[in-house]
Amino acid sequence: FDRRTEAARPAPFRRTGRRTERHALRSPQKLCGHAMTSLAEWHAAVNNGEWERITVRVGLQTFPLRTIQQVELERWSSPPFVWDRNWLVLGHDGSPHAFIGRDGSINVLTLASSALVKEAQRERDVSRLIELGAETRERAIALLEVYGSRQAAANALCAAADTSIPSEVRKWVEQLRSGGERQKEAAARALWIFTVTNSNTVWIRRAGGIPPLVALARGGSDGQKGHAAWALA
């Protein structure tokens, strides 16, 4: 049978809460199989919906949480703090340790460090950017640092591969992203003049210039705001 199914809410299941919790708490360190995570970290992860950080270990296999398990963890973490104590058992510090299956199996909960999750996501982003044409790991990392997200970096790669975009537009958009304050204002002004001359913003859009123009229009200096707003008009 599928032991993941056994970790779903047991119905009917009337194992006494006291016996079940004693069984789970007998060796919380052994149950977790990793350094124990603080109660505050568990509450933060559940309340923020960081489900990718929480996994269930069944035997030697690890699975993501099922929706019904997420709901039960939310019931544990949120007022009035009422959850099925026969199903979701806690450790000595009150943090979740395991779901108990109908057959008594212990389905261990693990909360990964947020730093580890971010690092894993970064590695996936780097690999994807290399596939899209970044070519080297170093360039992919540099793109992520400059553009802030995989999607923005991927858009920049696509724009760089689009030879139909005028070179001066590429240069001005790059100045918007990474230039100094005067360079950004000059680039916004140049793009405004470009839109007047060409009667559209298609090339600017394809070069990825709209987001930095919007950012300048909202939070730049008076000169930057004016030129960016006209370029976007």
Side-chain angles (χ1 to χ4, degrees):
F1 55 86
D2 184 355
R3 296 189 70 183
R4 292 180 63 191
T5 303
E6 291 299 311
R9 178 185 296 279
F13 178 42
R14 292 293 180 267
R15 183 190 299 272
T16 62
R18 181 174 299 176
R19 179 184 174 188
T20 300
E21 290 190 27
R22 276 209 308 269
H23 180 58
L25 294 175
R26 191 173 298 161
S27 179
Q29 187 67 27
K30 184 177 179 181
L31 273 175
C32 284
H34 61 90
M36 295 185 69
T37 314
S38 73
L39 178 60
E41 286 180 277
W42 271 100
H43 276 295
V46 173
N47 293 337
N48 294 330
E50 298 173 0
W51 304 121
E52 70 282 357
R53 293 179 58 191
I54 306 174
T55 55
V56 180
R57 191 175 73 242
V58 183
L60 299 178
Q61 294 182 297
T62 300
F63 302 97
L65 284 174
R66 303 179 66 176
T67 302
I68 192 173
Q69 293 169 331
Q70 294 176 8
V71 171
E72 194 66 11
L73 284 169
E74 288 174 340
R75 293 177 62 193
W76 161 78
S77 185
S78 306
F81 308 107
V82 176
W83 72 97
D84 187 342
R85 296 171 184 266
N86 294 322
W87 182 35
L88 172 60
V89 296
L90 310 180
H92 288 296
D93 65 347
S95 62
H97 274 319
F99 284 103
I100 305 299
R102 283 182 295 180
D103 61 348
S105 60
I106 300 174
N107 302 278
V108 181
L109 288 165
T110 301
L111 175 62
S113 161
S114 58
L116 291 177
V117 172
K118 289 179 181 178
E119 182 60 28
Q121 182 60 53
R122 179 183 174 86
E123 288 301 314
R124 290 193 293 270
D125 291 344
V126 167
S127 298
R128 181 57 179 156
L129 289 176
I130 292 174
E131 292 174 2
L132 291 174
E135 297 180 354
T136 66
R137 175 180 173 80
E138 290 72 20
R139 188 185 178 206
I141 292 174
L143 286 169
L144 284 173
E145 291 176 351
V146 170
Y147 295 103
S149 70
R150 184 179 71 182
Q151 187 58 55
N155 291 341
L157 279 173
C158 293
D162 189 346
T163 57
S164 64
I165 299 174
S167 59
E168 62 269 26
V169 173
R170 296 179 192 274
K171 181 184 72 173
W172 295 328
V173 169
E174 188 58 35
Q175 280 185 216
L176 286 179
R177 293 196 180 101
S178 56
E181 295 305 310
R182 290 185 178 180
Q183 287 179 310
K184 289 180 179 179
E185 183 172 344
R189 183 175 185 276
L191 289 171
W192 165 42
I193 295 173
F194 181 85
T195 61
V196 172
T197 304
N198 293 272
S199 301
N200 66 65
T201 61
V202 171
W203 301 125
I204 298 174
R205 188 179 302 278
R206 291 175 66 176
I210 300 301
L213 280 173
V214 170
L216 276 187
R218 290 176 176 172
S221 65
D222 290 342
Q224 291 172 343
K225 287 180 179 178
H227 293 316
W230 281 110
L232 291 166

